[in-house]
């Protein structure tokens, strides 16, 4: 038995690796590769693996680890801030999906119980797939990303009551006492888990960390993840919800980042197995015989899920573009729908033929999920540019925008970067306005006196109301690459003279933004590396003007590559103990410097700046305490000593045009 399981696991991993590699060469997402591998080796494909029960156990672990890492990313404090997305967004989406699905299925079956059960199946989306794609695209913190996560959390919470209602849908007698006790137990276990997040788990982890045993820390984290998931399942909740709660517990401690790094390799491995197990459910023969019916079923599922999600998002105040984006991103069927389908099949709510139909259509929706989520920004932007949806945008309560502003800064996105910029602009009395898509943030910040407004920056009308034609600077600080490009394009068209600064997450987006007219693009990943190498070189006492020149060259070249200019070798790097309370800096005399040929006496460094020249390196020779008649030459490295402000004054003095006109005697 053990050998059979190991053989199946090896075959599954090998075929998956080959499939992901080959499809990856065609730029097809790895998720599709896993599903294709499962379809090939599964019982309905080549039949290499006939019994998938053991595989499903590993797949469950993958979902548990995924939800655990998501829980770590979302602290309890942040989750409470997301109550609008979780309760209102998720609640309205699930309710509308069930209602619409019930009406559609009842027209064909005439059975209310089966129709409502179909609504349960269609209402749920794939947490595993959507979260993986959002993480890969860096969109977890975007407005649509936060809303999607909130809806998915609510959907996972709905699995428990859905399971409890299945007997009722069959017409069987319901034991309300049993349901009440189950819900009470669920409430108690959730309360205990959340209490432990504050008083128990942080202390346990603190003791574990002080043992300095990495293995013990890893085992403890896995134990908490799987243990709490198992505990919640014993009380009638899903394993995935328990794992999410376990992640929330860890997120409240200072060891959350280390826990994530320890669990990440396990999560990626088991999550791949989950997608393989999904592929194994596909009956290729059934799909071939019923292809037209399955395509119709897929289109019906897409239509119901997209329309109900868009309607629910609009009902809680989201913009049409964001609502469309979210609706397209959540059109697939979720893994928990398979769990419900099996339970429904056992009690006769769904027949074998219908079960295979649902299974085939669901797997196809999951396989198409990466393509749909990737196209969602472009599709939503294109649709909202059409007249019907433009009219829909105007139906929202009209925002009172500022009037009469000029030479101001427009900030789009009020995350960390937007907040910091607004604080600086306020202190320096530079006029600014803020545009934000999170209505909760807009409401909170307006109470604090911020000039912040709700709206979609990709819409020309919104930018016009913010005074784009009279603005001097536009700063785009959002986590949505497609929207960022659209904003830049619209802004440049309306005001070609405006200076645009864009914060982007990845270096690969720089060229596109520059081609659209962006003056300054700041990629987070590369700016961090620039700061790191600058500080390292500064610690090794390389001349400050050389470091500055290289960083400026990189930025001017749109971060395309590091220059290959040879840096001067490190010398004069150690500070003497007697100089520990003052600053030292090195400065190299460049080829075109006007300092060359002048003596130290002519330079009058101490008189002009208060800074002292302690030594000069020429080639491999260091001249300590050089004489006043020492003449400077090109490539000399000067060691400056003095207070920080004196050194800065000296550098400015040596690079100023005044040096060209000095007459020495």
């Amino acid at each position: 038995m053990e050998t059979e399981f190991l053989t199946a696991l090896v075959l599954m991993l090998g075929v998956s690796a080959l499939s992901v590699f080959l499809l990856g060469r065609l730029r097809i997402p790895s998720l599709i590769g896993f599903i294709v591998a499962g379809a090939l080796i599964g019982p309905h494909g080549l039949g290499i693996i006939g019994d998938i029960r053991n595989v499903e156990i590993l797949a469950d672990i993958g979902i548990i680890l995924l939800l655990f890492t998501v829980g770590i990313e979302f602290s309890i404090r942040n989750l409470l801030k997301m109550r609008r997305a979780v309760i209102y967004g998720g609640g309205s989406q699930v309710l509308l999906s069930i209602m619409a699905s019930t009406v559609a299925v009842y027209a064909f079956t005439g059975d209310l119980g089966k129709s409502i059960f179909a609504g349960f199946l269609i209402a749920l989306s794939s947490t595993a797939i959507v979260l993986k794609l959002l993480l890969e695209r860096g969109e977890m913190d975007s407005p649509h990303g936060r809303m999607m996560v909130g809806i998915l959390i609510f959907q996972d919470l709905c699995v428990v009551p859905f399971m409890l209602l299945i007997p009722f849908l069959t017409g069987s007698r319901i034991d309300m006492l049993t349901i009440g006790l189950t819900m009470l137990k669920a409430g108690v276990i959730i309360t205990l888990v959340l209490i432990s997040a504050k008083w128990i788990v942080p202390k346990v982890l603190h003791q574990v960390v002080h043992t300095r045993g990495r293995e013990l820390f890893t085992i403890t984290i896995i134990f908490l993840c799987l243990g709490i998931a198992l505990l919640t399942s014993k009380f009638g909740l899903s394993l995935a919800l328990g794992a999410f709660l376990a992640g929330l517990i860890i997120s409240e401690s200072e060891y959350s980042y280390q826990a994530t790094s320890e669990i990440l390799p396990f999560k990626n491995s088991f999550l791949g197995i989950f997608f393989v197990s999904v592929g194994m459910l596909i009956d290729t023969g059934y799909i071939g015989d019923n292809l037209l019916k399955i395509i119709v079923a897929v289109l019906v599922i897409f239509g119901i899920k997209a329309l109900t999600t868009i309607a629910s998002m609009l009902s809680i105040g989201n913009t049409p573009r964001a609502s469309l984006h979210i609706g397209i991103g959540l059109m697939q069927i979720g893994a928990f729908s398979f769990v419900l389908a099996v339970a429904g099949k056992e009690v006769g709510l769904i027949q074998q033929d219908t079960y295979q139909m649902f299974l085939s259509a669901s797997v196809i929706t999951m396989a198409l999920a990466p393509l749909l989520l990737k196209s969602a920004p472009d599709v939503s932007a294109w649709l909202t540019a059409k007249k019907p949806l433009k009219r829909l945008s105007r139906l929202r309560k009209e925002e009172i925008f500022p009037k009469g502003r000029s030479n101001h800064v427009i900030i789009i996105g009020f995350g960390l970067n937007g907040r910091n910029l607004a604080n600086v602009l306020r202190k320096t009395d530079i006029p600014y306005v803020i545009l934000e898509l999170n209505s909760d943030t807009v409401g909170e910040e307006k109470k604090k006196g911020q000039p912040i407004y709700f709206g979609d920056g990709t819409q020309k009308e919104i930018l016009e109301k913010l005074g784009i034609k009279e603005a001097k600077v536009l700063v785009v600080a959002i986590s949505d690459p497609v929207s960022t490009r659209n904003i830049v394009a619209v802004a440049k068209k309306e005001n070609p003279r405006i200076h645009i600064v864009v914060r982007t997450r990845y270096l690969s987006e720089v060229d596109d933004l520059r081609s659209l007219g962006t003056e300054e693009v700041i990629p987070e990943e590369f700016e961090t590396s620039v700061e790191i190498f600058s500080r390292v070189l500064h610690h090794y006492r390389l001349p400050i003007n050389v470091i500055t020149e290289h960083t400026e060259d990189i930025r001017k070249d749109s971060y395309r590559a590091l220059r290959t200019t040879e840096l001067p070798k490190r010398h004069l790097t150690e500070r003497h103990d007697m100089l520990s309370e003052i600053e030292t800096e090195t400065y190299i005399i460049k080829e075109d410097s006007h300092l060359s040929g002048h003596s130290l006496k002519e330079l009058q460094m101490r008189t002009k700046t208060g800074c002292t020249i302690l030594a000069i390196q020429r080639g491999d020779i260091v001249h300590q305490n050089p004489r006043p008649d020492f003449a400077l030459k090109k490539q000399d490295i000067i060691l400056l000593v003095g207070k920080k402000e004196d050194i800065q004054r000296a550098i400015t003095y040596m690079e100023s045009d005044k040096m060209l006109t000095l007459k020495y005697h």
Side-chain angles (χ1 to χ4, degrees):
M1 180 65 181
E2 291 83 357
T3 306
E4 291 179 5
F5 174 70
L6 184 60
T7 302
L9 182 61
V10 170
L11 287 170
M12 184 169 53
L13 294 175
V15 175
S16 299
L18 181 62
S19 176
V20 171
F21 173 75
L22 294 176
L23 293 178
R25 301 297 294 269
L26 301 175
R27 299 184 178 275
I28 297 175
S30 59
L31 184 149
I32 303 297
F34 287 121
I35 292 177
V36 169
L40 286 173
I41 64 178
H44 303 296
L46 300 176
I48 298 175
I49 299 177
D51 186 358
I52 66 171
R53 283 176 295 181
N54 291 326
V55 176
E56 288 174 341
I57 294 173
L58 298 177
D60 287 340
I61 296 175
I63 297 176
I64 289 171
L65 296 177
L66 173 68
L67 269 295
F68 176 70
T69 54
V70 171
I72 292 178
E73 293 291 332
F74 285 86
S75 67
I76 296 174
R77 190 179 300 106
N78 290 335
L79 190 59
L80 291 174
K81 291 180 181 179
M82 291 175 59
R83 58 185 178 275
R84 173 173 167 268
V86 175
I87 298 174
Y88 301 118
S92 59
Q93 186 272 334
V94 169
L95 182 61
L96 288 176
S97 295
I98 293 174
M99 292 172 61
S101 302
T102 300
V103 171
V105 176
Y106 186 78
F108 293 96
T109 65
D111 188 314
L112 183 60
K114 292 181 179 179
S115 302
I116 294 175
F117 180 70
F120 289 175
L121 299 180
I122 294 175
L124 304 179
S125 300
S126 176
T127 302
I129 292 176
V130 174
L131 292 182
K132 184 175 187 295
L133 294 173
L134 288 176
L135 286 168
E136 287 178 352
R137 293 170 61 82
E139 297 178 0
M140 287 289 286
D141 293 328
S142 65
H144 62 267
R146 290 193 297 268
M147 189 60 70
M148 285 183 187
V149 172
I151 293 172
L152 291 168
I153 291 172
F154 186 88
Q155 289 178 355
D156 288 344
L157 291 170
C158 287
V159 174
V160 177
F162 286 175
M163 292 291 288
L164 293 173
L165 288 172
I166 285 177
F168 176 74
L169 298 178
T170 63
S172 303
R173 184 181 175 186
I174 287 288
D175 187 348
M176 297 304 296
L177 179 60
T178 302
I179 293 178
L181 286 174
T182 302
M183 298 304 289
L184 179 62
K185 286 188 227 177
V188 170
I189 193 64
I190 290 176
T191 302
L192 290 175
V193 166
L194 296 180
I195 288 174
S196 67
K198 188 167 183 65
W199 286 289
I200 300 175
V201 173
K203 292 181 181 179
V204 171
L205 290 178
H206 181 74
Q207 294 299 322
V208 169
V209 168
H210 273 264
T211 65
R212 300 184 182 277
R214 181 172 179 178
E215 298 85 356
L216 178 60
F217 181 80
T218 304
I219 292 171
T220 304
I221 293 299
I222 295 176
F223 168 75
L224 288 171
C225 172
L226 299 181
I228 294 174
L230 180 62
L231 183 64
T232 55
S233 71
K234 294 295 183 182
F235 281 84
L237 299 174
S238 68
L239 288 167
L241 180 60
F244 179 77
L245 292 174
L248 281 180
I249 292 174
I250 304 297
S251 73
E252 297 303 308
S253 73
E254 63 267 37
Y255 310 113
S256 58
Y257 293 110
Q258 182 62 30
T260 303
S261 65
E262 295 291 340
I263 212 76
L264 202 59
F266 298 99
K267 183 203 77 172
N268 292 335
S269 301
F270 284 107
L271 194 58
I273 294 174
F274 162 72
F275 291 120
V276 172
S277 70
V278 171
M280 288 183 180
L281 297 172
I282 298 177
D283 187 340
T284 52
Y286 180 86
I287 293 176
D289 296 336
N290 300 272
L291 185 58
L292 184 59
K293 290 181 181 179
I294 293 172
I295 291 174
V296 172
V298 169
L299 294 176
V300 169
I301 291 172
F302 279 166
I304 290 175
K305 300 207 71 172
L307 291 175
T308 55
T309 304
I310 292 168
S312 65
M313 294 299 96
L314 290 173
S315 69
I316 61 172
N318 279 288
T319 62
R321 186 180 63 84
S323 300
L324 281 165
H325 193 152
I326 296 166
I328 296 170
L330 297 179
M331 287 200 298
Q332 75 291 137
I333 295 295
F336 290 131
S337 294
F338 299 149
V339 178
L340 289 175
V342 172
K345 183 183 176 185
E346 291 175 354
V347 297
L349 281 174
I350 185 171
Q351 304 304 316
Q352 176 62 30
D353 186 69
T354 309
Y355 175 76
Q356 268 301 329
M357 174 71 69
F358 170 75
L359 208 59
S360 302
S362 299
V363 171
I364 290 173
T365 66
M366 296 173 77
L368 292 175
L371 177 62
L372 291 171
L373 198 58
K374 182 179 180 181
S375 64
D378 293 321
V379 173
S380 58
W382 179 75
L383 287 174
T384 49
K386 303 302 177 183
K387 288 184 179 179
L389 287 177
K390 276 192 175 182
R391 294 195 190 99
L392 183 61
S393 301
R394 298 190 188 104
L395 293 177
R396 192 182 186 278
K397 182 180 177 182
E398 188 69 21
E399 182 82 81
I400 302 175
F401 287 92
K403 295 182 179 179
R405 288 182 180 267
S406 61
N407 291 325
H408 58 291
V409 179
I410 298 176
I411 304 172
I412 298 183
F414 204 58
L416 179 62
N417 293 291
R419 289 175 189 273
N420 290 337
L421 175 58
N423 290 335
V424 172
L425 295 177
R426 173 174 282 189
K427 291 177 181 178
T428 52
D429 292 327
I430 295 176
Y432 66 95
V433 292
I434 306 161
L435 190 68
E436 171 62 41
L437 265 176
N438 189 323
S439 58
D440 292 337
T441 301
V442 173
E444 292 172 4
E445 296 301 325
K446 273 191 175 179
K447 293 176 183 177
K448 299 176 183 178
Q450 286 284 13
I452 187 170
Y453 305 91
F454 178 88
D456 186 351
T458 63
Q459 302 297 316
K460 182 181 75 170
E461 294 82 0
I462 299 295
L463 292 181
E464 287 177 347
K465 290 177 179 178
L466 290 174
I468 188 69
K469 293 181 179 179
E470 293 78 27
K472 191 171 186 178
V473 178
L474 171 68
V475 178
V476 186
I478 59 176
S479 302
D480 187 340
V482 175
S483 294
T484 297
R485 290 194 292 271
N486 290 336
I487 291 168
V488 170
V490 173
K492 274 296 181 182
K493 185 177 180 181
E494 295 300 307
N495 183 358
R497 301 181 305 279
I498 193 168
H499 187 85
I500 300 179
V501 180
V502 172
R503 184 223 73 177
T504 183
R505 189 178 295 270
Y506 302 113
L507 184 62
S508 58
E509 298 166 7
V510 172
D511 288 338
D512 286 344
L513 291 167
R514 296 284 292 182
S515 66
L516 290 171
T518 306
E519 280 75 16
E520 297 183 50
V521 185
I522 304 171
E524 289 181 358
E525 64 173 356
F526 208 87
E527 193 61 33
T528 301
S529 69
V530 168
E531 184 66 20
I532 290 172
F533 88 66
S534 297
R535 296 196 180 199
V536 170
L537 295 181
H538 188 273
H539 184 73
Y540 275 91
R541 311 308 301 155
L542 264 73
I544 190 171
N545 57 328
V546 172
I547 299 173
T548 302
E549 179 186 1
H550 277 265
T551 56
E552 288 179 353
D553 282 348
I554 291 168
R555 290 172 179 141
K556 286 178 182 177
D557 196 30
S558 301
Y559 303 86
R560 195 166 285 114
L562 286 169
R563 299 291 189 183
T564 57
T565 306
E566 183 180 353
L567 290 171
K569 294 181 181 179
R570 178 179 63 89
H571 288 284
L572 310 173
T573 61
E574 302 298 332
R575 300 182 181 186
H576 195 278
D577 290 341
M578 294 178 63
L579 302 176
S580 59
E581 295 183 0
I582 63 175
E583 295 285 333
T584 64
E585 191 58 87
T586 55
Y587 185 92
I588 188 170
I589 300 178
K590 310 287 282 188
E591 292 292 330
D592 56 349
S593 175
H594 40 257
L595 296 177
S596 180
H598 292 298
S599 68
L600 298 184
K601 181 179 179 180
E602 294 172 330
L603 193 59
Q604 301 180 44
M605 180 64 74
R606 186 172 182 81
T607 302
K608 298 287 186 181
T609 69
C611 193
T612 301
I613 296 178
L614 186 64
I616 298 174
Q617 176 192 320
R618 179 172 293 168
D620 294 328
I621 301 174
V622 177
H623 301 272
Q624 299 182 10
N625 298 316
R627 297 169 57 86
D629 58 354
F630 188 96
L632 298 172
K633 292 185 178 180
K634 297 173 183 178
Q635 298 302 314
D636 282 354
I637 298 176
I638 302 172
L639 176 62
L640 302 170
V641 180
K643 296 180 180 179
K644 185 176 182 179
E645 55 269 27
D646 292 339
I647 291 176
Q648 188 57 51
R649 191 181 300 114
I651 293 171
T652 303
Y653 171 65
M654 289 187 289
E655 293 182 346
S656 66
D657 292 335
K658 294 179 182 178
M659 293 295 300
L660 293 173
T661 57
L662 284 176
K663 301 296 182 182
Y664 302 101
H665 302 285

